[in-house]
Amino acid sequence: MEILKTNNITMQFGGLTAVKDFNLTLNKGEIVALIGPNGAGKTTAFNMITGVYKPTKGKVFYKGNDITQLPPHQITKSGIARTFQNIRLFKDLSVLDNVLIANHLHIKSNVFEALLRLPKYKNEDRKMINKSLELLEIVGLSDEKNEKSSSLPYGKQRRLEIARALATNPELLLLDEPAAGMNPKETEDLTRFIKTIRDDFKLTIFMIEHHMQVVMGISERIYVFDYGITIAHGSPKEIQNNQRVIEAYLGVEDNA
């Protein structure tokens, strides 16, 4: 079942075309990767899907609905969550509070009920706290729930960002370089963790990643960008043996 589709989405900044005619299809339950050299336009593609940028051309469809012009918070509310290449936590807030904030996206109580702490709000608040604690347990951060997020090691900050994304109840999760800055052991743990949350939360996952160990280990399909253009798409084995992909990553000599 198709969950996300893009039709020729293009992003231009002045005279620069960052992404050109990107056609993507994600099927429910898949783990799909987007790879390419630095500056290839991968994060720009993420930003168009999540509403940070409005495509210069083309359309984005989520579960058959056109979301191209929706603002980011409405796209998140519809079921698409993301993490960022540069971790964006509330650094002065506790680990628990970072997850609680994301839970508020789906709160039904109004401001009046919240200010007076009426029963409806208190009941929702209790459920949000319990859900947040459960998520922290799942990502292995329950012991650090009262610590400032900025005090966590880098790998745990990545896990906290994923927990915060999961708190929005997504069906589609976009991960922007989740293994960036991790050591080999953390990278191995993350690979298993991504598979686990895909299965446990019944997610579809679309990720940008430079660690080929992660990409080849869990991706069912891979898209490859170079200078904003899709130069290849296929299974991990097909991508590994694609000469154009090899040239984009390693380069070729002029007389090759």
Side-chain angles (χ1 to χ4, degrees):
M1 175 184 170
E2 185 179 282
I3 192 169
L4 186 88
K5 184 178 182 65
T6 67
N7 287 342
N8 296 316
I9 56 172
T10 297
M11 192 70 227
Q12 294 177 317
F13 300 100
L16 173 68
T17 301
V19 174
K20 183 177 181 181
D21 294 329
F22 181 38
N23 290 301
L24 165 74
T25 301
L26 298 178
N27 298 312
K28 192 172 179 62
E30 284 188 305
I31 299 178
V32 177
L34 176 61
I35 67 172
N38 287 330
K42 302 181 297 294
T43 296
T44 299
F46 262 36
N47 286 338
M48 285 190 284
I49 291 169
T50 56
V52 177
Y53 297 152
K54 304 306 176 192
T56 308
K57 185 185 82 171
K59 298 283 186 182
V60 180
F61 296 92
Y62 175 63
K63 296 201 292 189
N65 298 312
D66 185 353
I67 63 167
T68 314
Q69 298 301 320
L70 291 182
H73 73 277
Q74 286 189 18
I75 290 175
T76 303
K77 201 166 184 177
S78 73
I80 301 176
R82 72 172 293 181
T83 64
F84 292 86
Q85 183 177 357
N86 299 313
I87 295 174
R88 297 187 185 182
L89 297 172
F90 297 100
K91 299 195 176 192
D92 290 328
L93 295 182
S94 72
V95 168
L96 177 58
D97 284 340
N98 265 272
V99 182
L100 277 171
I101 285 172
N103 271 289
H104 279 82
L105 179 71
H106 295 288
I107 197 167
K108 293 181 173 60
S109 300
N110 57 39
V111 175
F112 177 76
E113 290 167 326
L115 286 173
L116 296 181
R117 297 194 63 80
L118 296 180
K120 180 182 176 183
Y121 174 78
K122 289 171 73 173
N123 183 50
E124 281 194 301
D125 190 47
R126 184 171 59 254
K127 287 180 178 178
M128 286 191 298
I129 291 172
N130 289 337
K131 178 184 174 184
S132 298
L133 291 171
E134 287 174 8
L135 286 171
L136 291 178
E137 180 72 31
I138 289 167
V139 302
L141 294 176
S142 55
D143 290 342
E144 291 93 345
K145 64 180 180 292
N146 295 320
E147 293 184 19
K148 278 189 177 182
S149 65
S150 57
S151 71
L152 295 178
Y154 192 83
K156 289 189 174 183
Q157 287 191 29
R158 284 282 179 194
R159 283 178 175 254
L160 176 56
E161 195 175 33
I162 291 173
R164 191 175 62 181
L166 292 174
T168 66
N169 299 327
E171 292 184 53
L172 171 61
L173 178 61
L174 278 63
L175 302 175
D176 195 344
E177 295 195 33
M182 290 187 178
N183 61 42
K185 176 63 168 60
E186 289 173 329
T187 301
E188 185 180 333
D189 290 344
L190 178 78
T191 302
R192 286 196 297 269
F193 176 65
I194 291 173
K195 283 183 179 178
T196 298
I197 61 171
R198 186 272 302 270
D199 296 338
D200 290 351
F201 289 87
K202 296 179 172 53
L203 296 170
T204 304
I205 295 176
F206 185 41
M207 67 177 183
I208 295 170
E209 188 50 71
H210 284 289
H211 280 64
M212 289 301 104
Q213 176 188 345
V214 177
V215 172
M216 297 300 170
I218 60 176
S219 302
E220 283 134 12
R221 291 187 293 118
I222 300 169
Y223 288 83
V224 188
F225 263 16
D226 192 26
Y227 295 105
I229 298 171
T230 305
I231 62 169
H233 166 232
S235 68
K237 185 176 181 180
E238 289 170 332
I239 296 302
Q240 281 179 311
N241 295 316
N242 186 297
Q243 188 60 35
R244 192 172 178 189
V245 173
I246 294 169
E247 290 172 1
Y249 270 96
L250 301 180
V252 290
E253 296 181 14
D254 292 338
N255 60 354

